[in-house]
Each structure stands twice: as C-alpha cells, then as structure tokens.
Amino acid sequence: MAAAGSAVGLGNIWGFPTQTASNGGAAFLIAYLVLAFCLAYPALMAELTIGRHGQANAVSSLRKISNTPLQKRFAFVVGFGGIICAGLILSFYAIVAGWMISATVEPIATLAGSDTASTWLSEQSLSRNMIFTAGFIILTVAIISRGVEHGIEKWSKRLMPALLSILFALIVYVMMQEGAMTGLKAYLVPDFKSILDPELLVSALGQAFFSLSLGTSVMIIYGSYISKKENLVSLGAYVTLIDVFIAFVAGLLIIPAMYVAQAQGVEIFSATGELLSEDTLVFQVLPALFDGMGTIGLFVGFAFFALMSIAALTSSISMLEAPVSYAVERFTMSRVAATWLIGVVIALVSFTILLNFGSLFGLVIALTTKFGQPILGLMCCLFVGWIWYRNSLLNEIKQGCPEVATSLFWKIWPWYIKFICPIAIGLVFVSSIVG
Ligand code: TRP
C-alpha cells in the first residue's frame, strides 16, 4: 500500500492529463498504456527485487549484487544518481503540491467571505508559491523525520478509495455538461498516425516511469521494506494496475472537463490549437468546474484538492526517504538531523526554480523525468539482467512465491529485462534524438 501510495500522486492527476492534453489525446493514452505495462512494470519488478534482496538503501543494495570493483562503482553511480534525481524531482513536486494546498484552502477563504484572501490563494504569485512550497516541504520533513512507515500505509489505504469515489462522482457530473462528449472523443478516439511520433513516445515513457516512481532508488528502498513472505510478482502487478487505473480515470475527468470549461468561455487553447498554460491547466479547469456547481462546489473543491494534497504527500515522503535513508545508513547521522538538512537543501532548490520559473521549471521536469528516470531505470534492468547471478535472483523471488520457477513470469521476465527493456528504452531515445 505504501508503494502504491508513492506511485499514486500528482503524476496521475496533474502529470498524466496534462501530458495527454498536450500530446494529442488518445494517441498518448495508448502509448502510455503500452509502455507502462511493457517497460515500466518489468523495471518496477527489477527495482523491488533488488531492494528486497539488499535490505538497504539503493547504493548498498546495488553493491550487494555486484561482483567486481568496476560493477561496484557502477552501482554507486546508479544508486547515487537516483538519489540526486529523487531530490530534484521533489524540488519541483513541492511547487505543484503547494498549488494543490492553496487550492484546498481557497474554498475556505471564500466561505469565510474574504475576497482578498481567496484572490491571493487562486492567483499565481511568488509570495503564495514560496509559502505553500515551503509549507509542503516542512510537512514532508516532519513525517519523514519520525520514520513512520506505518503512517504512510494507513494514509494510503484510506486515500485510494476516497480518491476514486470523488473522481467517479465528478466524472458523472462532467459527462452531463455541454462539451464533455468532444473531450471524451479526444481522449478515447486515437489518431493512429501520431502514435509513433518520437516526441510523444519519449514523453509517454517518461510519464510512465514518473508515475511508477522508477529510476530514483525509491522503489529499491520500498522493496527493502517488503517482507520476505510477500509475493513480489503480484505485488508489483497490483501497484502498476492501481497506478495506471487512477491515471486513466483522472484523464476521464480532466480531458472532458477542459472542453466543458472551454464551452463555458474559459480560454484553454490558443488560436493555433496549442494548450495555453500546460502546467496550470488542472488549476484552471477544475475550479471552473466547481464554480459551476454553486455553493456545493466549494465543498467538492475542498475535498478534491485536500485528497490531492494527501496523495502528493504520500509520494513526496517516498522521494525524501531516498536521500535520507542513504545519509542515515552511510554517514551514521541521526534521522532527524539528516531529514532537516536535506529538506533545507531541497527547499533552496525549489526557491531557485520559483525565482526562475520560466527557464527552470520545465527544464528540471524534462531532465529528471524524461531522461534521468528512464536511463537510471534501464541501468537497474541491466543490473538484474546481466550482473545478478540468475540463481540468486530466482531464490529471491521464490521467497513468497515458491511456484515462480515454473511460471510464465519467470519464462519471460529475465530475458525480457536483459534484452527487450534496454533495447526498447534505447530505441525511444535514439528516435527522439534523430527525430
Ligand atoms: N509517482 C508519483 C506520482 O505519480 C511521484 C513520485 C513519487 C516519484 N516518488 C517518486 C517520481 C520518485 C519519481 C521518483 O505522482
């Protein structure tokens, strides 16, 4: 449940619909589904298995399966690279999560009748963004410094059903509005010509890896917390299914809601058909939807954004856990000191991004999610496929899943991860560079 909590977050409800909208709708959806199941799930299995075998942070876990000094150095590069990547991801994630929190507070200000406050909360400004970003980082630090794995699991368990119920209720509402059907068509009827567009494939691959929290050592760490009695194969499959399902459902809400907002006069597309404001799309479209509901909309808006903030928190916790668990195990620092120190560094990076928003925000997202995550994830596949002894790998997965040796999974996955995943991920990159 904690791993699912890490996977389900802003990537599903902000990242996926935004990417789908800006990459041609249904074609992106199809590419995403194929890549999530065919490349991200096998890579997730690689990371969870490495972590459960290593019983430690990413660097130590990868070192444990390395056999030569050179491989051990490679283990450090991959593990440490993932930790830096997780920190950078948190620095932009906290900004978006800050937007979620201010959108949660905004209906309260409106109910209290304070127009100034609600305007400040709903409009982009440096002061608002800095305050809420810092607030979100402090929340994450406060939870991680206590090391509450139980807490994470409890929150995740309650969050998922609540999130799904509110999403479904909103979908029913949206479908009854004018313009929704155009949106539904854009989301579900693909233009097959663009599916193989290299740009679209790189974005879909990055989105799949982002959504499953891959390549950043996070799933290695969560793997190390999984009991030897658990069946890794089905656990990984559940996490993937839950994550992809919630992203799909979120798209079912947001894409039609865009067209509904447009029918109500909110400007979504430019004259040339491009999205006007990608990053803040969700924050324009959803409030417009809630406004249309009258006073009830205030409560729905509050509930929706509160759930989103919690979902963001169960994800950000996992990102901060990556550098913290490394610092605690490697430098024998106290957990509290390590967490606050790393939290301050990440807050400084977030502020730098906020102060140079136009040039840095998109750049950091592209560097970490489009390139960093798939490349580091690929390295983990190489570790499992080429470096880890096959018998030792089988013995690890057999724990909790004794019948695996004769299963379809074991017939396919080891060579799949050895050849297909690296080649396919490599091809996506080569095509994007050549294209
Ligand atoms: N997967 C989460 C989401 O969809 C984000 C996330 C959590 C993440 N931990 C991560 C992304 C580690 C990359 C790396 O919102």
Side-chain angles (χ1 to χ4, degrees):
M1 271 324 239
S6 163
V8 174
L10 303 180
N12 303 65
I13 291 177
W14 166 77
F16 174 73
T18 311
Q19 294 263 6
T20 307
S22 50
N23 282 295
F28 184 84
L29 171 67
I30 292 184
Y32 172 77
L33 290 177
V34 171
L35 293 174
F37 287 115
C38 297
L39 293 182
Y41 167 67
L44 171 67
M45 285 307 301
E47 294 193 21
L48 289 176
T49 318
I50 292 173
R52 195 176 69 169
H53 180 72
Q55 290 292 310
N57 68 70
V59 175
S60 313
S61 294
L62 286 166
R63 282 213 162 138
K64 192 167 166 188
I65 51 174
S66 312
N67 311 305
T68 64
L70 189 69
Q71 289 173 359
K72 287 204 192 306
R73 210 165 300 153
F74 183 44
F76 177 79
V77 173
V78 176
F80 197 73
I83 288 168
I84 301 288
C85 194
L88 281 173
I89 288 176
L90 180 53
S91 68
F92 78 75
Y93 206 79
I95 296 175
V96 183
W99 296 342
M100 290 287 169
I101 301 185
S102 62
T104 312
V105 184
E106 196 269 335
I108 303 177
T110 309
L111 264 184
S114 170
D115 280 350
T116 3
S118 89
T119 314
W120 181 73
L121 286 164
S122 55
E123 281 174 6
Q124 289 286 344
S125 69
L126 191 60
S127 61
R128 183 201 76 167
N129 289 346
M130 284 208 165
I131 290 172
F132 283 99
T133 301
F136 183 79
I137 294 180
I138 291 172
L139 267 177
T140 308
V141 165
I143 297 177
I144 280 297
S145 66
R146 296 200 183 108
V148 281
E149 276 86 52
H150 324 288
I152 303 178
E153 196 148 24
K154 206 160 47 194
W155 276 109
S156 306
K157 230 180 246 168
R158 292 185 190 147
L159 170 79
M160 238 67 83
L163 195 63
L164 273 174
S165 329
I166 200 163
L167 280 175
F168 279 120
L170 286 173
I171 289 171
V172 172
Y173 178 79
V174 160
M175 290 305 155
M176 296 186 305
Q177 311 295 312
E178 194 194 325
M181 287 308 139
T182 325
L184 199 60
K185 234 169 95 192
Y187 186 46
L188 297 178
V189 183
D191 163 14
F192 284 103
K193 276 199 302 295
S194 48
I195 287 186
L196 290 178
D197 171 11
E199 252 318 287
L200 181 145
L201 285 177
V202 177
S203 302
L205 184 69
Q207 178 58 35
F209 272 65
F210 181 74
S211 199
L212 280 174
S213 314
L214 295 176
T216 55
S217 79
V218 163
M219 285 303 179
I220 297 187
I221 296 173
Y222 274 31
S224 77
Y225 297 152
I226 297 173
S227 144
K228 297 273 185 192
K229 290 194 211 94
E230 296 290 339
N231 179 340
L232 280 181
V233 180
S234 52
L235 193 139
Y238 284 136
V239 171
T240 311
L241 281 175
I242 294 178
D243 186 58
V244 169
F245 181 67
I246 294 194
F248 175 75
V249 173
L252 224 38
L253 168 66
I254 310 254
I255 309 290
M258 275 167 58
Y259 288 81
V260 171
Q262 199 186 25
Q264 289 168 355
V266 181
E267 264 191 281
I268 303 283
F269 297 103
S270 71
T272 54
E274 309 249 306
L275 269 186
L276 280 178
S277 48
E278 285 186 17
D279 302 327
T280 50
L281 174 75
V282 170
F283 300 91
Q284 283 181 327
V285 165
L286 290 177
L289 191 73
F290 301 141
D291 271 353
M293 298 177 181
T295 318
I296 290 190
L298 291 176
F299 295 95
V300 179
F302 171 80
F304 180 83
F305 285 116
L307 282 172
M308 277 320 300
S309 306
I310 300 170
L313 206 54
T314 59
S315 297
S316 65
I317 294 169
S318 72
M319 289 173 214
L320 187 58
E321 182 70 11
V324 167
S325 72
Y326 179 69
V328 170
E329 286 167 29
R330 172 76 175 70
F331 303 111
T332 49
M333 283 173 99
S334 87
R335 193 174 176 89
V336 176
T339 314
W340 282 99
L341 187 73
I342 294 167
V344 168
V345 174
I346 287 172
L348 291 177
V349 179
S350 294
F351 286 168
T352 313
I353 296 178
L354 278 174
L355 288 167
N356 304 281
F357 193 84
S359 52
L360 285 186
F361 186 72
L363 182 70
V364 175
I365 295 185
L367 277 182
T368 51
T369 66
K370 271 195 191 167
F371 299 99
Q373 289 193 281
I375 291 173
L376 289 163
L378 181 149
M379 305 280 185
C380 289
C381 293
L382 293 181
F383 256 100
V384 173
W386 293 89
I387 296 178
W388 198 346
Y389 292 128
R390 216 176 135 109
N391 271 342
S392 159
L393 171 63
L394 178 61
N395 283 336
E396 181 56 51
I397 303 185
K398 258 188 183 165
Q399 301 179 52
C401 183
E403 67 287 355
V404 75
T406 53
S407 69
L408 187 64
F409 177 81
W410 186 253
K411 286 196 187 88
I412 298 175
W413 182 69
W415 70 264
Y416 192 87
I417 208 144
K418 197 166 180 170
F419 299 106
I420 307 285
C421 284
I423 293 174
I425 295 175
L427 273 182
V428 171
F429 280 113
V430 171
S431 71
S432 89
I433 293 165
V434 174

